Every structure is written in C-alpha cells, then in structure tokens.
Amino acid sequence: MPSQHKTGHYTFLFVYILAIFSIGNWIERHNTLPLLLAYSSAFFGYVFLLQKTNESRLLFSAGIVIRILLFFSLPSLSDDLFRFIWDGTLLKNGIHPFNELPGYYLNQNIPGLDHQLYDKLNSPKYFTIYPPLNQFIFWLSAVIGNEDWLVSANVIRLILYAADVGSFFLLKKLLKQYRKSENLAFWYFLNPLVVLEFTGNLHFEGLVVFFLLAGIYCYEKNKKWLSATGFGLAVGTKLLPLIFLPFLFLKGITQKKWSIAIIAGSIGSLTLIPMLSESFVKGMMESLDLYFRSFEFNASIYFIARQIGYWIYGYNNIALIGPLSSFASLLTILAISLIGTKRKWSIPKTFLFILTTYLLFATTVHPWYILPLIVLCTLSGFWYPIVWSLLIFLTYIGYTKNGFELPMYIVVVEYMIVFSTFLIEIRFSDRKT
C-alpha cells in the first residue's frame, strides 16, 4: 500500500512538471487548446499533490526543479522582456530610458537597438513605466547578456528565482509566527501561475512579494527599520504597494510603529532619485495617465461601469470612468484600512482585502497582478486567490496570432466564481487572524 501511495505522488508530480515545462518551453500563447489543457493539468496536479503528500523535501525539490527547467527558453506568455532589454540597452549606452519614445532611437546605430527588437515591443508608442530599481536589473541583464536575449532573460530570471526561494522561506517563518502549518507555504511555492509568471515570464511582482514578506516578518519581530526597508523596496519595485501604507500607519499608531509607514514611503521615494529628472517625471506621469485612461483588460467593476457608460454616453468613456474607479478604489481602501485597524486584523488579512479591492476596481487585471494575493491568502486563511489563479489563466484565450480579443463570457465566469467563493468564505469563516 505505501508503494501505491508513492506511485500516486510521483504521477501527480510528473504531470505537474511536464505540463509547466511544456507551457514554458513549447506551447505558444495563441495555441489556446494545448495551453489550457497543459495549465489545467498542472493546476490539478498541484492540488492533488499537495492533498496527497506532506513530504517537504519532495515538494521543495519539485519547486526548485520546475523553475530551473524554465531557464531554457524565452518567456512563452509575455513579451515584456523585450522592453526590459530595450531599457537596459539604453542605460548600457548611457541613455536615460525616459528621454524619448523607443522609435526615436531606431536607425541611430545603437548596438542592440534595432528593428528586430523594436518590433517585439508591446507598447512602443508609450514611455516605459518601470522605476529605477527595475531599471538597474535591466541594465545588468543588458551588460551581461550583450545582445543575447536568452542570457539577458536568465539574468533577470536568476534574480526573480532567488527572490521566489527567499519568499518561500520567509513565508514559512511567518506561518510559524502565526501558528499555522509551515507546509502551507507550498500552496504558494508550487502554484503554477506563480511559477510561470515569475520565473517563466519575468514579472517583478515576484520581487514585490519578497520585499512585502520581509517587511511583514520584520514588523512582527519589532524590527522597525528593517520592516520599513522591506516595505519601501516593495514600493520602489512597483508603486502599487503604496496602497498598504495607510493601514500600516493607522495600525502603527496603536502599536507605536507608525514611523514604519513614513520611513517606507521615504525609502520608496529615495529609490527614484538615481533616475530623477524632468523627463523621468514627465514620462512616468504620462505613462500612468495612459494606463488609467486608456488600458482595459479583464476588469470587473470597471466593465460594469463601462457598460452603463455606453447606455448613457453611447461610447466607451474610459477617460472619465477610469479616474472615477481609481477614486472609488482609494476611498474603499482607506475604509478597509480603518476597519482593519479597529478590528485588529492581521497585516496579511488586511493587505489581502486591500489588494483585492484595488484589483476589483482596476481597469486592467493581468494574471500576474493577483500573485501577491496567493502568498497573502496562505497567511490569512482565505483561499479564493487559489481559485482565482486557476480561472484568470482563461484570459490567455484572448490571444491570437493577429492580436487579442477576450470574449466577455470568460470575464463573467471568472469573476462570478471568484466573487462567489469570496462571499462563501466571508460567510462561513470564523477565522480571527
């Protein structure tokens, strides 16, 4: 009987690894049926594996091996890498990446900046949106890669891989701190979306997760400066973690740790200094304005508001609805921060609700945007982000050889199931975290 159990473990493990390896190295994102079959196989292999075994060494080895197997190919589901290389190459040649739009540099005989790379950029008409901390990594990848795209990709991968492994160990420490099973960390570490979007597709939310966990851990250990540094570097990597600072400030007042939020905001601001200039401010503000007023993908509340806008105005009034959604999101986040402070919610639980609120009001929700929710859910005990990590992959159905068009029924199904799961958990949960 024990041997049969082990055979089952290895079967699930084989399916899990083969499916993720196939997506990372063979299947193109416009090949919808093979892509969805592979991802669903990986996801259910992941769920069954974690339900059938608690062998930590086996599970950790699986997480390490599958990440290493993604180092053999360029990202399969995202073309963001090419903007990373473009920006890094500019810096390598002493050019500020916010000075001009990419097209300006074509035909200027800058090594590595040619039509082949330009044609792969997904937003060549927009200024870059990546802050200096990311730009340093892009520069490093361009210097070491020396026009070899795979080498540049793997330089970034190595950094995100190290962050992901670091996140796993920090997560285990925090689970122990909150008196939860340390094996819950594998629900994050082996999640197929986490593996594919961080190590596979090189999204920097992986670095954000590491810094957030470091900030939370040091907060719980009363290491104020280290905690502020963790949160500050999270802000420096992606501006999004700014949404957590109001809660940290309010919670800090009750625990005499309010300075952590102030210092974190200051550290996040300091990370901008290396590239601070008039062109940086102008380019970043223009990119952010375009993001909130022009981009729309896989939204929930915004799509409902957009449809109402069609009835009222007769056209897509995103220029008005986008900023209004952002304002409504801000007010709700502040309300959650106040409630979380009053009810003495844990940091992970409050962060989870704050980020969920932001995503529900956002005009754009790519699959990798939800990944911080997965690490927060393992700490807080709410599991709807795991369900979301399965459903949000359906948005890749929209990719074709000629462009992108996501059927609205996919979005409706996704959010109906996720929201229903959330409501059920809220209704029946007696968690006190």
Side-chain angles (χ1 to χ4, degrees):
M1 185 67 69
S3 61
Q4 290 180 340
H5 282 309
K6 285 232 170 187
T7 300
H9 299 169
Y10 289 124
T11 299
F12 292 131
L13 183 60
F14 176 76
V15 170
Y16 169 81
I17 290 178
L18 179 61
I20 293 180
F21 177 79
S22 298
I23 295 172
N25 293 277
W26 295 332
I27 304 174
E28 297 183 54
R29 68 183 180 185
H30 62 265
N31 292 329
T32 300
L33 184 59
L35 185 64
L36 293 185
L37 286 174
Y39 186 77
S40 59
S41 298
F43 192 89
F44 290 111
Y46 147 78
V47 171
F48 287 126
L49 183 64
L50 289 178
Q51 288 184 335
K52 296 294 183 181
T53 182
N54 58 0
E55 297 179 29
S56 297
R57 289 186 179 181
L58 175 66
L59 297 175
F60 181 70
S61 298
I64 293 296
V65 168
I66 191 54
R67 284 168 170 80
I68 292 174
L69 290 176
L70 296 177
F71 275 71
F72 295 105
S73 299
L74 293 173
S76 59
L77 304 177
S78 171
D79 46 17
D80 287 349
L81 167 68
F82 303 108
R83 189 57 180 254
F84 301 166
I85 293 174
W86 186 278
D87 287 359
T89 303
L90 286 173
L91 288 166
K92 177 184 173 183
N93 287 276
I95 302 171
H96 198 300
F98 285 90
N99 279 352
E100 302 287 348
L101 294 172
Y104 176 85
Y105 299 104
L106 286 176
N107 305 317
Q108 292 194 19
N109 298 318
I110 299 174
L113 299 186
D114 51 29
H115 284 274
Q116 184 182 10
L117 179 59
Y118 180 83
D119 291 341
K120 291 185 174 295
L121 300 180
N122 55 24
S123 300
K125 304 300 183 182
Y126 303 126
F127 284 99
T128 185
I129 59 171
Y130 303 106
L133 190 58
N134 303 52
Q135 295 288 346
F136 170 76
I137 297 174
F138 302 161
W139 167 82
L140 186 65
S141 72
V143 169
I144 296 176
N146 196 27
E147 299 182 40
D148 187 316
W149 294 351
L150 182 57
V151 173
S152 292
N154 284 340
V155 170
I156 300 173
R157 272 201 180 107
L158 192 59
I159 294 170
L160 295 178
Y161 166 82
D164 222 9
V165 174
S167 294
F168 171 75
F169 287 108
L170 282 169
L171 182 54
K172 289 187 69 176
K173 287 179 178 291
L174 277 166
L175 286 165
K176 186 176 181 180
Q177 173 79 21
Y178 295 138
R179 298 180 181 178
K180 296 177 180 288
S181 170
E182 293 182 37
N183 272 4
L184 289 173
F186 290 112
W187 285 96
Y188 166 79
F189 194 57
L190 294 179
N191 186 282
L193 194 66
V194 168
V195 175
L196 286 167
E197 298 295 358
F198 288 171
T199 307
N201 296 323
L202 309 180
H203 292 298
F204 277 71
E205 279 76 6
L207 204 54
V208 171
V209 165
F210 173 74
F211 288 136
L212 283 178
L213 287 175
I216 296 171
Y217 179 73
C218 292
Y219 189 101
E220 300 293 3
K221 292 297 183 180
N222 205 32
K223 299 177 180 179
K224 295 181 183 179
W225 277 97
L226 289 177
S227 176
T229 300
F231 291 129
L233 290 176
V235 172
T237 305
K238 292 270 186 177
L239 297 179
L240 179 61
L242 283 169
I243 64 177
F244 301 131
L245 296 189
F247 169 70
L248 285 176
F249 180 77
L250 293 171
K251 182 179 179 67
I253 291 175
T254 65
Q255 300 181 340
K256 298 182 180 179
K257 295 180 181 179
W258 58 269
S259 60
I260 289 178
I262 303 298
I263 297 169
S266 300
I267 290 173
S269 300
L270 288 173
T271 63
L272 303 178
I273 290 178
M275 298 185 68
L276 199 59
S277 66
E278 183 180 349
S279 60
F280 171 80
V281 174
K282 181 181 178 182
M284 180 64 79
M285 293 305 295
E286 182 175 323
S287 294
L288 290 174
D289 182 64
L290 283 167
Y291 176 84
F292 287 110
R293 291 179 180 271
S294 302
F295 294 171
E296 50 183 29
F297 174 85
N298 188 37
S300 56
I301 291 174
Y302 163 73
F303 276 173
I304 296 172
R306 185 184 69 176
Q307 185 59 48
I308 295 173
Y310 275 123
W311 296 336
I312 296 173
Y313 301 105
Y315 60 91
N316 181 5
N317 196 359
I318 185 176
L320 173 64
I321 299 171
L324 285 177
S325 296
S326 299
F327 183 68
S329 176
L330 175 61
L331 291 180
T332 309
I333 286 169
L334 291 175
I336 292 173
S337 299
L338 286 167
I339 294 170
T341 302
K342 184 177 181 180
R343 296 188 180 181
K344 298 183 179 179
W345 288 348
S346 68
I347 295 176
K349 178 177 178 177
T350 314
F351 279 13
L352 179 75
F353 290 166
I354 286 173
L355 182 55
T356 299
T357 296
Y358 172 83
L359 293 173
L360 290 177
F361 279 101
T363 61
T364 303
V365 183
H366 289 294
W368 54 94
Y369 287 13
I370 75 163
L371 295 178
L373 293 178
I374 297 173
V375 75
L376 293 170
C377 85
T378 62
L379 292 167
S380 63
F382 290 86
W383 294 95
Y384 65 89
I386 301 294
V387 176
W388 203 351
S389 71
L390 169 64
L391 296 170
I392 200 168
F393 199 83
L394 292 173
T395 59
Y396 281 106
I397 288 175
Y399 288 98
T400 66
K401 284 186 176 181
N402 301 317
F404 181 89
E405 185 175 353
L406 181 64
M408 187 54 63
Y409 72 85
I410 295 295
V411 179
V412 173
V413 169
E414 173 195 348
Y415 282 104
M416 282 185 64
I417 296 176
V418 170
F419 195 62
S420 297
T421 306
F422 172 74
L423 290 179
I424 291 170
E425 287 201 283
I426 291 294
R427 173 66 180 82
F428 293 102
S429 175
D430 58 356
R431 300 173 179 88
K432 302 299 182 181
T433 55

